[in-house]
Amino acid sequence: MRAAPRYDGTGDVTMAESTPPTAVRAPAPAAPARATLILAIICVSYFMVILDNSIVFTGLPQIRSDMGFSETGLSWITDAYVLVFGGLLLLGARAGDLFGHRRVFLFSLVVFALTSLLVGAAQTQGWLIGARALQGVGAAVLAPSALSLLTRTFAEGRARNRAMAAYGAVAGLGAALGLVVGGLVADLVSWRAGFFLNVPVAIAMVVLAVRFLPVTESQGGRFDVAGALLATAGSTAVVFGIVDASDIGWTAPATVAPLMAGVVMLALFVAVERRAAQPIVPLRLFASRERSGAYVTRMLYIGAMIGFFFFTAQFVQSVYRFTPLQAGLAFLPMTLVNFVLAVQVPRLLERAGRPRVLTCGLALTMVGMMWLSRLDLHTPYLNGVALPMVLIGAGQGLVLAPLTSSGVDGVAPTDAGAASGLVNTVHQIGSAVSLSILTAVAASVSTGHGAADIAARSGAALTGSAVLLALALAAALALIVPARTRSHERSL
């Protein structure tokens, strides 16, 4: 039995046990230079996926004007992407286990590039939403394969902490820089141009991946199609019901029916996973209190952040009359602080430990969001938006890396793909469900049309984001911190 090469952070490649391979393995990579290159390929590819999750935000006013979207309809441009992304992530992760993560990674890059072309060429509302959903398919395969390749390349400990810090920084910076890039291209060219940029980037990553990524083993088995379909359909039904509630009311049959159907399908999903021989979500992943806490905390945290990006981008364009480029640049206070702290996370983790870094980041984000939620039609940019963004950016820079590590640490090699998929799944499903809830909250305070309406809706939605962050902090304190502290004490 051969083993997967791993870089342990000391200049050596270690060999981790794995299942018997059915694919031919490439020679072990030369550490540390090759490990760094592998990390760069993974991070750039994942950056492209995260970028597309936010690049559309600064273009929303243009899209609404060009295609006649309603306020509620605009949310589906994001929800169509993240729902399919999140719903099929588990199946995408399983595909990596069955066919080899490198092969699946390459396939996903091609799919993502082609569907990005479709998004950029969209002419109708249905075309745009449908193309965004197809784009989510490519992202659902790419993201877990990228994270699995990372966990297989870098052993737990200092090397993995550094790699996860880079991966977490990509998640945060991709979301923030997507607003700047989206604003730049929307201002100078069109909102469509941001999606066309994916094509040359994806081609470059395919070339580099073919040359430098090691061939990973494939495992025998089959897809848990029933589990994947129930997870996707159940979460979609829940989101559909919540979004419609803002227009037709919470007690309307068209709201209650999809909500109930979604809950039933998600319950059936759990039942199927209990009995499946090869489930897409092995329930043993939840046996760890720390991992379970990481999933809950991530869902709440990312849900709060997607609301922040979605509503703040519209606020600065509608109230301050910023152009798309100016709106993107308005997020620079957050982006810069995020980057500075994200690169310091490995050092902070070594000095202060994961629990302190994580809780500090969550608290900073929550305080910043509470401050920002006070905005109204007369809020000045500097002390009403920019300064709260500094706290939010600092918090996000500290949170994502330790949260990702808590979601994958201690997982057996055979469950690496499933664990990676689950981390990304709660990320995307949390985005979709929370955005639908926050959109409904915003609609409940709607005053009509114009800047005053956008200001009122944004303030209400951001208050909801602050509540989600408070719940995320509570989940981390109740689940992650105690489990991590006990684990650390046992290792002494």
Side-chain angles (χ1 to χ4, degrees), residues 119-204:
V119 174
Q123 299 299 312
T124 65
Q125 292 185 16
W127 180 345
L128 177 57
I129 292 174
R132 284 284 281 170
L134 290 175
Q135 193 181 33
V137 175
V141 181
L142 192 155
S145 296
L147 185 54
S148 293
L149 286 167
L150 186 151
T151 57
R152 287 167 179 267
T153 301
F154 297 90
E156 283 191 30
R158 185 177 183 184
R160 171 107 35 108
N161 285 340
R162 290 179 179 276
M164 285 298 179
Y167 186 88
V170 163
L173 291 175
L177 287 179
L179 296 164
V180 178
V181 174
L184 178 63
V185 296
D187 218 24
L188 300 180
V189 186
S190 165
W191 63 267
R192 303 174 186 275
F195 295 98
F196 291 139
L197 287 174
N198 289 334
V199 180
V201 175
I203 292 173

Side-chain angles (χ1 to χ4, degrees), residues 297-482:
T297 303
R298 193 180 193 94
M299 181 176 287
L300 293 166
Y301 186 85
I302 296 303
M305 294 305 297
I306 198 75
F308 160 73
F309 288 121
F310 186 86
F311 287 98
T312 307
Q314 293 185 70
F315 175 84
V316 296
Q317 291 183 76
S318 299
V319 175
Y320 297 147
R321 303 297 180 186
F322 284 0
T323 66
L325 175 58
Q326 290 172 327
L329 293 176
F331 284 83
L332 278 180
M334 173 191 176
T335 306
L336 295 175
V337 175
N338 187 328
F339 176 77
V340 169
L341 283 179
V343 298
Q344 297 297 320
V345 164
R347 185 178 303 172
L348 293 173
L349 289 173
E350 291 175 7
R351 291 183 177 179
R354 189 181 300 174
R356 290 181 181 176
V357 173
L358 177 60
T359 52
C360 180
L362 289 168
L364 283 172
T365 313
M366 182 184 69
V367 172
M369 197 70 72
M370 291 173 63
W371 186 355
L372 184 64
S373 70
R374 309 312 301 164
L375 51 76
D376 57 30
L377 193 60
H378 305 291
T379 298
Y381 169 73
L382 180 60
N383 59 10
V385 176
L387 291 181
M389 280 187 181
V390 171
L391 294 180
I392 293 171
Q396 184 168 281
L398 295 174
V399 163
L400 291 180
L403 203 54
T404 301
S405 294
S406 289
V408 298
D409 276 0
V411 173
T414 52
D415 288 335
S420 302
L422 191 54
V423 166
N424 284 288
T425 295
V426 297
H427 188 114
Q428 301 304 327
I429 296 298
S431 296
V433 173
S434 296
L435 182 57
S436 62
I437 293 172
L438 295 174
T439 300
V441 169
S444 69
V445 299
S446 178
T447 60
H449 300 285
D453 180 61
I454 295 294
R457 292 162 64 95
S458 299
L462 293 171
T463 299
S465 287
V467 172
L468 291 176
L469 289 169
L471 294 174
L473 179 58
L477 290 172
L479 298 172
I480 300 176
V481 173

Side-chain angles (χ1 to χ4, degrees), residues 20-45:
T22 59
V24 177
R25 295 298 307 277
R34 187 156 185 162
T36 301
L37 183 57
I38 291 172
L39 179 61
I41 295 170
I42 291 170
C43 285
V44 170
S45 300

